[in-house]
Amino acid sequence: MSDSPEKLKLGALVALVVGSMIGGGIFSLPQNMAASAGVGAVLIGWAITAVGMLTLAFVFQTLANRKPNLDGGVYAYAKAGFGDYMGFSSAWGYWISAWLGNVGYFVLLFSTLGYFFPIFGEGNTPAAVIGASILLWAVHFLVLRGIKEAAFINLVTTVAKVVPLVLFALVCLFAFKLDVFTADIWGLGSPDLGSVMNQVRNMMLVTVWVFIGIEGASIFSSRAEKRSDVGKATVIGFITVLLFLVLVNVLSMGVMTQPELAKLQNPSMAAVLKYVVGDWGAVLISIGLIISLLGALLSWVLLCAEIMFAAAKDHTMPEFLRKENANQVPANALWLTNAMVQIFLVITLFSASTYLSLIYLATSMILVPYLWSAAYGFLMALRGETYEQAPGERSKDLIIGAIALLYAIWLLYAGGMKYLLLSALLYAPGAILFAKAKRELGQPIFTNVEKLIFAAVVAGALFAAYGLYDGFLTL
């Protein structure tokens, strides 16, 4: 890839970060948040999330600048810090999370179209699955034409999706009522919300989902025109998206009460705007969401193929995933990704997989790669590696790394045992590809420590499989 003259500029990298972060999540935010927390807990949760995610963004920025030789972001950092199997698991977990998220996006896209065409229902009817499949392969062949072209289309859809968000914020600012906002600050009027601590914990899993994509620029580091742009794009993208998320969430809580918001159908932003300005508000937001989802799908298809390609390039994934077409697109990685999306789209017909259940599973798969990236940033500062010329920066990065690491551990806890076990079930089969890559190099598959880790993953997977069979775990 590095011999390609066509490189991604800062604007394209920022659009990749914003484009992959603003997908469908923000459009359902008013209801998703109100369903799990009152105003006070929402504000506390956003404060913790902003600090935690900002430190994570800074870790990605620091690693992009200090380790310019590591391409592929989350995957490369796990491998450099904790060995081949951890690197492989990060790439594998990230990849599964990304295409599972895409299945969720297709369900949400066709459930939004169901607003105009009832035949699509909740996004999991036969008509919706056929429509989603046609769209999936249209995106597939578009990406096969070239990363540069796809990144440009992503830039256009990113601009188009920001317009309805700005309009929503302006309208709600004028409709905002302080007495509605402060009516039941701690959610004590809704006993089903539980304690404030419980509310904070529940809302924070939704906030993680809306921030996934923060690492978008670092995944494409090898295609960036300037390495320093990777870190800049990560921080600019993060701050832009944080601002939109908090505005959409907080302003809607001053327009409608928590119980009213919790009962809305998604995309709930459409219902909030309809409440203020009438039907055209709902239509505007629905169109914005459709454009937004198309752009996010494109971003994530690119990220899926890129992470597999980067891992195959340095022999952590099998060789067949390294194959590029004439347009320098990792074609085999793309075919494998979209075949998996297609299989899962068909599965949504037979299981009641809703957007939210898919999203929670996708989120839990990505928490592990985030954890290893934060741990690697922390370890580097702890050892003083790459800080020989600038010892003053070391203590700052040590604190940032420590906060990011604590936040990543807290997220695993907030996600709960159920999703950790279900993700073990998806992590375990990856070892087949890992073994194939090791055989191609003529190396032993696992080190002694990796054998223990793999045994723990298999034990978790077996327990999860039994749980699904017995019915005490559900998807």
Side-chain angles (χ1 to χ4, degrees), residues 152-177:
F152 173 72
I153 293 169
N154 178 56
L155 184 64
V156 175
T157 56
T158 300
V159 173
K161 71 174 79 167
V162 165
V163 174
L165 296 179
V166 173
L167 269 170
F168 178 88
L170 287 172
V171 170
C172 289
L173 196 60
F174 287 105
F176 187 86
K177 293 189 183 70

Side-chain angles (χ1 to χ4, degrees), residues 41-98:
V42 162
L43 294 175
I44 294 169
W46 276 121
I48 299 172
T49 302
V51 173
M53 275 290 173
L54 186 62
T55 55
L56 207 50
F58 281 143
V59 166
F60 284 124
Q61 183 180 33
T62 303
L63 290 172
N65 293 340
R66 293 198 166 276
K67 289 282 181 180
N69 55 320
L70 295 180
D71 286 330
V74 284
Y75 139 75
Y77 304 146
K79 181 178 176 175
F82 308 98
D84 290 354
Y85 181 56
M86 285 298 98
F88 170 85
S89 295
S90 264
W92 177 253
Y94 188 85
W95 176 70
I96 289 180
S97 171

Side-chain angles (χ1 to χ4, degrees), residues 47-59 204 370-371 373-379 381 394-412:
I48 299 172
T49 302
V51 173
M53 275 290 173
L54 186 62
T55 55
L56 207 50
F58 281 143
V59 166
M204 281 187 68
Y370 279 0
L371 178 74
S373 293
Y376 183 52
F378 176 68
L379 263 182
R394 184 181 162 191
S395 49
K396 178 195 74 171
D397 288 351
L398 193 61
I399 294 166
I400 288 172
I403 297 170
L405 184 55
L406 284 171
Y407 177 66
I409 293 167
W410 197 89
L411 287 176
L412 280 175

Side-chain angles (χ1 to χ4, degrees), residues 422-444:
L422 287 173
S423 54
L425 194 57
L426 291 170
Y427 269 109
I432 299 165
L433 283 181
F434 183 65
K436 184 170 164 35
K438 284 290 188 186
R439 288 255 161 80
E440 286 170 0
L441 292 172
Q443 292 176 352

Side-chain angles (χ1 to χ4, degrees), residues 176-245:
F176 187 86
K177 293 189 183 70
L178 198 61
D179 54 331
V180 174
F181 188 69
T182 54
D184 181 16
I185 279 210
W186 300 112
L188 303 174
S190 313
D192 49 332
L193 289 180
S195 70
V196 173
M197 181 63 194
N198 234 13
Q199 292 177 41
V200 171
R201 185 183 149 185
N202 291 339
M203 73 143 286
M204 281 187 68
L205 208 61
V206 182
T207 63
V208 179
W209 168 248
V210 291
F211 278 121
I212 288 176
I214 190 173
E215 67 302 307
S218 67
I219 302 278
F220 282 91
S221 50
S222 68
R223 300 175 192 268
E225 194 174 58
K226 293 212 290 267
R227 289 305 293 230
S228 58
D229 284 351
V230 173
K232 276 187 211 148
T234 304
V235 176
I236 294 169
F238 168 77
I239 290 168
T240 308
V241 174
L242 176 67
L243 198 66
F244 276 122
L245 291 169

